[in-house]
Amino acid sequence: MSQPTGPIESWVERQISAAIERGEFDDLRGAGKPIPGIDDPPDPLWWIKRKMKREGLSVVPPSLALRKEVEDALDKAYAARKEQDIWDLLEPINKKIRAAIRVAPVGPPLNLMPIDIDRVVRRWQARGDHEVG
């Protein structure tokens, strides 16, 4: 690669032209396609959002995250093979719910009460597709 002589802009242009002639810009990924987000309005947090999307991250208010955790835990509880598994799964969730009730979470209202584990167990037993004991 040559050293710049004269104005830097003309040296850069010569380097680019030479690279084009050598075919170094042929078959680039995304060639001929629009640049993603080129028409989006300016966003000072664009880089954070892109990184979060790339890494599969999201920001969910604690109350919504806890609601989702309860929903997932109940699904797992009804699929449990043993009653003790239900208790082991739901008791920690109830501790989190009680803690969230004592201190109002940031974001939407919690709208949750501790899970009636005895009721979940009765429904689970009524299904009958589990181990006894």
Side-chain angles (χ1 to χ4, degrees), residues 7-133:
I8 190 76
E9 293 85 6
S10 61
W11 178 82
V12 169
E13 291 298 326
R14 285 193 308 272
Q15 298 303 312
I16 292 171
S17 295
I20 290 171
E21 288 176 21
R22 290 188 304 270
E24 293 182 23
F25 293 107
D26 297 347
D27 301 321
L28 292 176
R29 185 174 54 99
K33 296 179 183 167
I35 298 171
I38 193 75
D39 294 324
D40 293 349
D43 181 359
L45 299 177
W46 66 269
W47 63 276
I48 294 173
K49 292 175 183 175
R50 185 177 296 166
K51 181 167 180 62
M52 289 178 69
K53 183 177 180 182
R54 185 175 57 245
E55 296 186 10
L57 302 173
S58 65
V59 177
V60 177
S63 59
L64 296 181
L66 184 53
R67 286 188 215 170
K68 177 67 172 143
E69 191 174 349
V70 167
E71 181 181 313
D72 292 346
L74 286 170
D75 288 343
K76 289 178 184 175
Y78 287 118
R81 300 302 298 161
K82 297 184 286 187
E83 180 179 335
Q84 187 60 47
D85 294 342
I86 297 172
W87 286 91
D88 292 345
L89 183 68
L90 298 183
E91 199 50 51
I93 298 292
N94 274 347
K95 287 180 183 176
K96 288 182 180 183
I97 293 171
R98 288 184 192 100
I101 289 171
R102 283 192 293 275
V103 178
V106 176
L110 184 61
N111 295 335
L112 281 177
M113 294 299 293
I115 300 166
D116 182 344
I117 301 175
D118 288 320
R119 183 175 170 208
V120 172
V121 168
R122 285 193 303 275
R123 286 184 175 177
W124 174 81
Q125 288 171 335
R127 291 181 46 199
D129 58 347
H130 53 272
E131 295 177 18
V132 177

